[in-house]
Amino acid sequence: MGYVLFPRVVQPPHISDYAIHGFDVSHHQGDIAWRKIDQKHYAFVFIKATEGGDYQDPKFQMNWLNAREVGLKVGAYHFFRNCKTGAEQAENYIRTVPKKHDSLPPVMDLEFQWTCPEVTAEQLQQEITIMAQRLEQHYERKPIFYTTPKYYQAYIQAKLGHYPLWIQDTKKMPVRWDKRPWLFWQYSHTGKMAGVATVVDLNVFRGSRQQFMDFSMPKY
């Protein structure tokens, strides 16, 4: 299913030393001048597509098409809502995000929420699993779990399937809490870059250029 991990990669001491850099955007970034993006520095972008059972980001389709047109590796993410079923949310994403062999895997954004207090941890994990399995079945790629260290330790570690991780930590490099290494790290919420008028989230990929190409263009 095109799923690989690179546990033996030695982590660079500085952000600038990572081979592969990228960013993520939503409608909050407004109109992006995609041709001004420095493609010598940025190789990929994750774009917000959906949220919950029925929300689609109003800028998604334009961002998706324009980012692909300029040659960036493109993926789409979904903000998971505890109040909706995993099946509903999977269908919302599938209706919105095209299935492209050369795109990055789907992303599920999993964060703490203070709504739906009647949903237990076990029920939440079950709905996350349902959505993840449905996305994997449709896109033939294991979805990436975007999350924080605390959420990972509370809900994912040793409890959910072996999905790739995208860790958000703006204070320090993520550690390995178990045998599952992270593949992406969001290290800043306040990045500045040509082509984007607002601050933007910045990320790196854990691996070499060749490993990134192998991950972004899997051989079936």
Side-chain angles (χ1 to χ4, degrees):
M1 289 280 184
Y3 172 52
V4 290
L5 291 175
F6 314 117
R8 296 177 183 172
V9 172
V10 176
Q11 294 308 293
H14 304 292
I15 291 292
S16 60
D17 294 328
Y18 280 81
I20 300 295
H21 292 250
F23 58 106
D24 58 274
V25 297
S26 72
H27 70 275
H28 292 295
Q29 274 65 50
D31 293 328
I32 297 172
W34 288 97
R35 295 195 179 279
K36 292 184 178 180
I37 303 297
D38 181 3
Q39 292 185 50
K40 292 181 179 179
H41 184 70
Y42 297 106
F44 67 88
V45 60
F46 285 107
I47 301 167
K48 183 173 183 178
T50 50
E51 182 172 327
D54 56 11
Y55 176 83
Q56 294 89 38
D57 189 289
K59 293 287 187 182
F60 171 69
Q61 295 296 340
M62 180 181 294
N63 283 337
W64 174 270
L65 292 173
N66 289 342
R68 287 175 59 85
E69 187 175 305
V70 300
L72 290 166
K73 285 295 181 181
V74 181
Y77 73 90
H78 171 90
F79 189 87
F80 190 92
R81 284 292 183 187
N82 295 354
C83 298
K84 298 293 184 178
T85 68
E88 286 180 284
Q89 299 190 68
E91 290 308 311
N92 186 23
Y93 185 96
I94 290 168
R95 285 194 304 267
T96 306
V97 181
K99 180 180 178 180
K100 298 289 186 181
H101 175 70
D102 60 347
S103 64
L104 295 170
V107 175
M108 294 171 59
D109 183 343
L110 306 173
E111 302 180 39
F112 286 110
Q113 298 167 38
W114 312 119
T115 56
C116 301
E118 68 276 11
V119 176
T120 67
E122 290 75 18
Q123 290 170 328
L124 176 59
Q125 289 158 353
Q126 182 179 25
E127 297 304 331
I128 290 171
T129 299
I130 289 171
M131 181 175 182
Q133 291 176 343
R134 181 71 184 92
L135 293 184
E136 182 176 359
Q137 179 184 33
H138 180 79
Y139 293 98
E140 301 181 86
R141 306 285 305 274
K142 278 188 175 293
I144 299 168
F145 285 175
Y146 167 96
T147 194
T148 64
K150 288 185 178 179
Y151 191 100
Y152 178 81
Q153 291 172 297
Y155 292 108
I156 299 174
Q157 184 175 353
K159 299 179 180 72
L160 296 177
H162 207 222
Y163 294 94
L165 294 178
W166 175 9
I167 299 297
Q168 179 265 307
D169 194 330
T170 60
K171 296 181 180 179
K172 62 181 185 303
M173 180 188 295
V175 300
R176 289 180 62 180
W177 304 277
D178 51 24
K179 294 182 179 180
R180 181 178 356 196
W182 53 268
L183 287 189
F184 293 92
W185 169 25
Q186 185 183 93
Y187 65 87
S188 174
H189 292 319
T190 57
K192 295 282 190 177
M193 56 192 297
V196 183
T198 68
V199 295
V200 64
D201 297 334
L202 299 178
N203 305 269
V204 291
F205 172 77
R206 182 181 184 272
S208 66
R209 290 188 178 278
Q210 185 59 53
Q211 287 168 329
F212 180 73
M213 294 305 299
D214 292 343
F215 180 74
S216 59
M217 289 288 288
K219 297 178 176 62
Y220 293 94

